Amino acid sequence: MIRRGGLVAFPTETVYGLGANALDANAVKKIFEAKGRPPDNPLIVHVSSVEEAKALVLEWPDLADRLADKFWPGPLTLVMKKRDLPNEVTAGLPTVAVRFPAHPIALTLIRLSGMPIAAPSANLSGRPSPTTAEHVIQDLWGRIDYILDGGSTPFGVESTILDITKRPCVLLRPGPIAPEDLERVVGRLALSRAALGEEVEVAEAPGMKYRHYSPKARLVLVKEGVERMAEVVKSEIEKGLRVGILTCDEHANMYKAGVVISLGKLSNPYSIAHNLFTSLRKFDELGVEVIVAEEFPQKGILFAVNNRLRKAASEII
Ligand code: TXA
Ligand code: MG
């Protein structure tokens, strides 16, 4: 199906991707149509070896070798100067985002197809990223050719994106590979405003200017601690709204009313990331009108969780 120019959703270790032949402009256009994705938002190109990655770029810096040695295959995407790829893939940019995933189904798909695969997350544009085949069905049924069901994806948040064309390197999107781990390889990092979760008009990472990860309910993110959060929950309930509460095991029993979803133990931050997008979708299914979410400590993979919550939020307190 990939060779014939079709669309195949597949699991990676982060989230499900919606793949097409990265070398076929028409196939790539279909991705944008299926997702309703703005054409100025470029795609990540997925490869199954370092050699394949090198073939996509003009220069392969030493830094790329060091990062690949340490983090590939895995949830790190590198932005480098592109060689010839269809403009549709890179939205006309001089750079390309390259990722060598670790998931066996993703790797097998790329290898058997015999070509690099362009793939955004397999959700409708603006919706939370899919972490199960069921989520892909919810968003894209009837719009794509195949779904490879590999169960739920381990990390549950999208890859870390690092621009290595700049000095210092720029973290464009936090993900499972923590900034502190990257700094051990590349030295000091610059954080893009998008990585910090701020609204950006002119995007450093083009996709970052769009509203993201949005459940249907309005999401209020509370940075000011759990006591403040309890107050916000109370006042939303008093408005007569059906309130969802997104929290962790350590704080879940503070809430006596509302629909409480715990993402997991703070002491196991990976579980919190793993459950994030499923939980946002669950609130929609439960008909929640407003989600009050807790901000987590800004470290490791929780930095990525907070980033997704900020982008989904219509209000930050
Ligand atoms: O974990 C992941 O990265 C998943 C799986 C499927 O691999 N993919 C994913 O793709 O999250 P997507 O399209 O949802 O997010 C890719 C992000 C977008 O924000 C896009 O703007 C940015 O990567 N991007 C792509 N090419 C870029 C480039 N050349 N320069 C800067 N940002 C780029
Ligand atoms: Mg996406």
Side-chain angles (χ1 to χ4, degrees), residues 234-253:
K234 189 161 167 272
S235 87
E236 294 290 342
I237 288 174
E238 279 166 7
K239 289 181 199 163
L241 294 172
R242 190 163 163 77
V243 178
I245 298 155
L246 194 61
T247 183
C248 54
D249 285 1
E250 285 85 343
H251 302 147
N253 56 17

Side-chain angles (χ1 to χ4, degrees), residues 50-68:
V50 171
E51 275 53 53
E52 217 180 333
K54 288 182 179 170
L56 298 172
V57 299
L58 275 184
E59 306 162 9
W60 180 263
D62 273 355
L63 201 58
D65 260 334
R66 281 190 277 142
L67 287 163

Side-chain angles (χ1 to χ4, degrees), residues 14 17 37 41-42 44 46 95 97 99 120-121 158-159 161 173 206-207:
T14 57
R37 182 176 176 104
N41 190 3
I44 295 176
H46 296 69
T95 53
R99 162 151 142 75
S121 49
E158 307 86 343
S159 62
I161 305 181
R173 182 175 70 184

Side-chain angles (χ1 to χ4, degrees), residues 35 37 120-121 123 129 158 173 212-213:
K35 284 191 53 125
R37 182 176 176 104
S121 49
N123 50 282
S129 292
E158 307 86 343
R173 182 175 70 184
H212 261 88
Y213 316 113

Side-chain angles (χ1 to χ4, degrees), residues 115-129:
M115 58 198 53
I117 292 185
S121 49
N123 50 282
L124 282 175
S125 203
R127 296 273 298 145
S129 292

Side-chain angles (χ1 to χ4, degrees), residues 8-19 46 99-110 117 119-122 130-134 136 146-156:
V8 178
F10 62 97
T12 78
E13 71 276 32
T14 57
V15 300
Y16 276 74
L18 179 60
H46 296 69
R99 162 151 142 75
F100 179 177
H103 196 292
I105 296 179
L107 287 174
T108 304
L109 179 68
I110 301 164
I117 292 185
S121 49
T131 58
T132 65
E134 202 56 51
V136 182
Y146 275 103
I147 300 172
L148 296 173
D149 185 351
S152 74
T153 56
F155 286 113

